[in-house]
Amino acid sequence: MNYSFQREKILETVLDSCDHPNAYIIHKRVQKKIPNISLATVYRNLNFLANNGDILRINYADGDRFDKTIYPHCHIRCLECNNVFDFNNLDLQNLNFIDNSYDIKSISINLEGICKNCQKRRREDLNGTKRK
Amino acid sequence: MNYSFQREKILETVLDSCDHPNAYIIHKRVQKKIPNISLATVYRNLNFLANNGDILRINYADGDRFDKTIYPHCHIRCLECNNVFDFNNLDLQNLNFIDNSYDIKSISINLEGICKNCQKRRREDLNGTKRK
DNA sequence: CTACTTGCAAACTGTTTGCAGTATA
DNA sequence: TATACTGCAAACAGTTTGCAAGTAG
């Protein structure tokens, strides 16, 4: 086996996730497969897998999240529900670098806003209030 | 007085900083003006000032940094010296949003790379090695 | 008098690490 | 048999908070 049983299951869990879970959530999901797995093991392996390029780490102030999609793409975090979504609607090809003082290794673009669901809920809440 | 003495001095310190210091560094700098100021006060006031739009907070995994420049601009962190620099060399005007599902509130672009100084030092180190 | 602010210490959160035991090549 | 990995608990770093005392309007 290439990877330890635990590492395999952690990778599998991230690959099966369509959201962008943090270590804690991943730990809870992996526990369904390995009930006694420790959070430290999850952290250690997420670090390993991210460094190895198997998964992508996204930095957030309230904890890093992980992404099965490893090619460069943008993310948007909903300020209301705090969920993170892929955001492929920004044309990165047109980015113009006027300067080359830096040896650029990576670029990360993170947006914040309100997702469709929360926009809808806001409208409904507002209507409910009005009717009263 | 609009702001407390401590708050004034903290703001002043950030406005006088040409780098992008974190709370700890700002605390050390403010201590030169108010020797017994506590780190908690610095944190509380940085939060206040950032929420109030007096200064800008930049999220980093190893701790938030603060910027006297509050208009939207990009940052680049040097992977070698860990310093953060303003990066105004990206033409943000040309960013094309193909989608408007989200109600976008903010966009932050963070680059990583090697700064001029560290590129230079790398070359010198390499030459030194070769000469041996 | 009231609301706000401070310094201090303790608490909190996400993450890492030391260790002794276990699994793997 | 040597190396890598695990679970556990303790440690760690950045940040926040409860509190009693102090300050400003």
Side-chain angles (χ1 to χ4, degrees):
Chain A
M1 190 167 18
N2 234 344
Y3 285 176
S4 75
F5 181 67
Q6 283 87 343
R7 186 170 294 167
E8 297 268 15
K9 290 301 164 191
I10 290 166
L11 174 56
E12 190 183 293
T13 300
V14 175
L15 297 184
D16 285 347
S17 294
C18 291
D19 51 355
H20 298 78
N22 58 23
Y24 177 78
I25 299 288
I26 294 166
H27 180 232
K28 284 210 298 187
R29 289 182 189 166
V30 178
Q31 276 185 314
K32 290 176 185 163
K33 302 166 182 171
I34 314 172
N36 72 325
I37 195 170
S38 77
L39 185 54
T41 297
V42 171
Y43 271 106
R44 270 190 284 239
N45 281 292
L46 288 174
N47 285 343
F48 179 97
L49 294 167
N51 290 337
N52 203 41
D54 293 322
I55 60 176
L56 182 75
R57 175 198 299 274
I58 337 172
N59 291 125
Y60 279 102
D62 64 349
D64 287 356
R65 315 212 185 186
F66 297 88
D67 196 335
K68 64 176 169 184
T69 308
I70 54 174
Y71 66 77
H73 61 292
C74 308
H75 293 99
I76 182 162
R77 183 173 69 88
C78 178
L79 293 166
E80 202 133 320
C81 63
N82 206 28
N83 283 325
V84 170
F85 307 92
D86 289 336
F87 188 86
N88 294 305
N89 311 319
L90 200 55
D91 191 359
L92 294 183
Q93 308 309 318
N94 280 346
L95 283 184
N96 247 350
F97 294 90
I98 307 158
D99 181 301
N100 59 355
S101 311
Y102 298 93
D103 180 11
I104 295 169
K105 302 289 188 187
S106 79
I107 171 166
S108 92
I109 304 190
N110 292 299
L111 299 96
E112 292 180 322
I114 312 293
C115 73
K116 265 258 151 87
N117 276 342
C118 289
Q119 287 178 49
K120 195 184 159 206
R121 196 159 33 73
R122 274 192 175 183
R123 278 195 301 272
E124 287 168 0
D125 288 356
L126 196 63
N127 285 342
T129 309
K130 274 182 189 165
R131 265 188 227 107
K132 274 191 179 172
Chain B
M1 191 166 20
N2 235 344
Y3 284 176
S4 75
F5 182 67
Q6 283 87 342
R7 187 170 293 165
E8 295 269 17
K9 290 301 164 191
I10 290 165
L11 174 56
E12 191 183 293
T13 299
V14 176
L15 296 184
D16 285 347
S17 294
C18 291
D19 50 355
H20 298 77
N22 57 24
Y24 176 79
I25 299 287
I26 293 167
H27 180 233
K28 286 210 297 187
R29 290 182 188 167
V30 178
Q31 276 185 315
K32 289 177 186 161
K33 301 166 183 172
I34 314 172
N36 71 324
I37 195 171
S38 79
L39 185 54
T41 297
V42 170
Y43 271 106
R44 269 189 285 237
N45 280 293
L46 289 174
N47 285 343
F48 178 97
L49 295 167
N51 289 339
N52 203 42
D54 293 322
I55 60 176
L56 183 75
R57 175 199 299 276
I58 338 171
N59 291 126
Y60 280 102
D62 64 349
D64 287 356
R65 316 216 184 183
F66 296 87
D67 196 335
K68 64 176 168 182
T69 308
I70 54 174
Y71 66 78
H73 62 292
C74 309
H75 294 100
I76 182 161
R77 183 173 68 86
C78 177
L79 292 165
E80 202 132 320
C81 62
N82 206 29
N83 283 326
V84 170
F85 307 91
D86 288 337
F87 188 85
N88 294 306
N89 311 318
L90 200 55
D91 191 0
L92 296 183
Q93 308 309 319
N94 280 347
L95 283 184
N96 248 350
F97 294 90
I98 307 159
D99 181 298
N100 58 354
S101 310
Y102 298 94
D103 179 10
I104 295 169
K105 302 289 189 188
S106 80
I107 171 165
S108 91
I109 305 191
N110 291 298
L111 299 97
E112 292 181 323
I114 312 292
C115 73
K116 265 257 149 88
N117 274 343
C118 289
Q119 288 178 48
K120 195 184 159 205
R121 195 157 35 71
R122 274 192 175 183
R123 278 194 303 272
E124 287 169 1
D125 289 355
L126 196 64
N127 285 340
T129 310
K130 273 183 188 165
R131 266 190 225 107
K132 273 190 183 175

